[in-house]
């Protein structure tokens, strides 16, 4: 596993973004782990987070695209942080864009904030985590309504590696249905590999009991 992936897993733990216990996802699934990017709350954290996203984006998509689109609300700081990191790490100026919940009819008008989207723009969508692919169904029509636009990919922080609406993973379903490439900074398999029965800061985060709960979750919701 690449060093930046290991660092990112520990970073999520330190920021309390990656938690283990009893949770319910947006899609209604009871899960023993939860990723909440709302717990990135400081400038230092966002700077680091943007760097991890930038590395994942460059490895999967390269930098030959125009706009990083972050869906409202959590995608807004993600798109800003990653665009800054791409500028700093790779000296590439990528525009950022997000949508509003309501269309604004004065000042900076319209459904978008940040950069406008124009014909021919190649767009990478940035999100926190995808469980069942419901968010992308809302996001893509907004992007495509802006003109002859080419959405080329989706990047998330963690691939939960579970079924979407059918038998395949949510990211695989998105790739097939929308023709988007997808990637994640890390997968849950990599998270478990790095934390299972290993001490981190004096504590074993994933012990045998938690590992059994994670395995049981994937028995029910994992890709067959």
């Amino acid at each position: 596993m690449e060093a930046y992936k290991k660092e990112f897993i520990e970073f999520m733990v330190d920021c309390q973004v990656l938690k283990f216990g009893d949770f319910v996802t947006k899609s209604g699934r009871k899960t023993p782990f939860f990723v909440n990017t709302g717990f990135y709350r400081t400038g230092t954290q966002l700077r680091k987070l943007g760097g991890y996203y930038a590395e994942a984006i460059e490895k999967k998509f390269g930098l030959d695209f125009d706009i990083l689109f972050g869906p409202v609300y959590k995608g807004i700081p993600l798109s800003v942080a990653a665009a800054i990191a791409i500028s700093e790490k790779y000296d590439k100026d990528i525009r950022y864009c997000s949508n509003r919940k309501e269309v604004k009819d004065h000042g900076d008008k319209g459904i978008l904030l940040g950069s406008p989207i124009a014909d021919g723009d190649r767009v990478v969508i940035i999100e926190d985590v995808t469980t069942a692919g419901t968010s992308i169904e809302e996001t893509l029509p907004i992007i495509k309504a802006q003109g002859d636009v080419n959405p080329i990919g989706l990047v998330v922080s963690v691939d939960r590696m579970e079924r979407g609406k059918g038998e395949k993973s949510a990211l695989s379903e998105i790739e097939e249905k929308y023709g988007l490439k997808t990637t994640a900074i890390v997968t849950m398999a990599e998270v478990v590999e790095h934390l299972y029965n290993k001490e981190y800061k004096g504590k074993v985060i994933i012990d045998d009991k938690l590992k059994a709960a994670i395995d049981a979750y994937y028995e029910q919701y994992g890709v067959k």
Side-chain angles (χ1 to χ4, degrees):
M1 193 189 312
E2 295 99 317
Y4 83 95
K5 290 176 176 278
K6 295 177 182 178
E7 289 175 14
F8 179 64
I9 292 166
E10 294 170 3
F11 174 64
M12 285 194 293
V13 172
D14 289 342
C15 295
Q16 299 182 52
V17 165
L18 174 63
K19 293 185 176 182
F20 297 95
D22 295 307
F23 308 97
V24 178
T25 68
K26 185 178 180 180
S27 56
R29 297 173 180 176
K30 293 183 179 179
T31 173
F33 57 90
F34 196 71
V35 179
N36 183 358
T37 56
F39 275 82
Y40 296 121
R41 291 173 172 170
T42 72
T44 299
Q45 290 171 347
L46 284 173
R47 186 186 186 91
K48 287 184 178 179
L49 176 63
Y52 294 125
Y53 266 111
E55 203 151 350
I57 290 167
E58 193 277 333
K59 286 184 184 304
K60 179 69 175 184
F61 307 118
L63 298 172
D64 189 22
F65 65 97
D66 305 291
I67 291 181
L68 201 51
F69 186 92
V72 68
Y73 288 100
K74 289 182 180 177
I76 296 174
L78 298 181
S79 64
V80 172
I84 292 171
I86 289 171
S87 173
E88 291 179 342
K89 275 178 171 285
Y90 304 110
D91 195 28
K92 174 75 173 181
D93 218 12
I94 298 289
R95 288 138 54 203
Y96 91 92
C97 179
S98 295
N99 62 301
R100 295 183 172 95
K101 283 290 187 182
E102 297 87 19
V103 176
K104 191 177 177 186
D105 60 3
H106 61 281
D108 183 13
K109 296 181 180 180
I111 193 71
L112 303 181
L113 62 97
S115 171
I117 300 176
D119 287 350
D121 278 341
R122 293 152 299 175
V123 181
V124 171
I125 301 164
I126 183 168
E127 290 195 355
D128 54 350
V129 63
T130 295
T131 302
T134 49
S135 175
I136 202 77
E137 293 179 356
E138 302 168 0
T139 301
L140 271 177
I142 294 170
I143 294 172
K144 290 184 174 181
Q146 308 309 311
D148 184 15
V149 182
N150 182 18
I152 62 172
L154 166 70
V155 58
V156 298
S157 61
V158 180
D159 178 359
R160 289 181 59 98
M161 301 179 65
E162 58 194 82
R163 295 196 309 275
K165 295 180 178 179
E167 293 302 311
K168 297 182 179 180
S169 74
L171 290 184
S172 294
E173 287 180 354
I174 288 168
E175 287 190 343
E176 288 188 5
K177 185 173 182 179
Y178 302 109
L180 286 175
K181 292 180 180 178
T182 65
T183 194
I185 303 173
V186 294
T187 67
M188 272 308 297
E190 289 169 330
V191 170
V192 173
E193 175 191 336
H194 186 55
L195 296 179
Y196 176 48
N197 273 348
K198 296 174 187 172
E199 276 199 12
Y200 176 63
K201 294 187 175 179
K203 181 182 178 182
V204 173
I205 296 169
I206 300 181
D207 57 15
D208 289 336
K209 182 179 178 182
L210 181 53
K211 175 68 161 53
I214 294 171
D215 289 345
Y217 182 77
Y218 281 112
E219 275 295 312
Q220 185 172 4
Y221 295 114
V223 178
K224 302 297 184 186

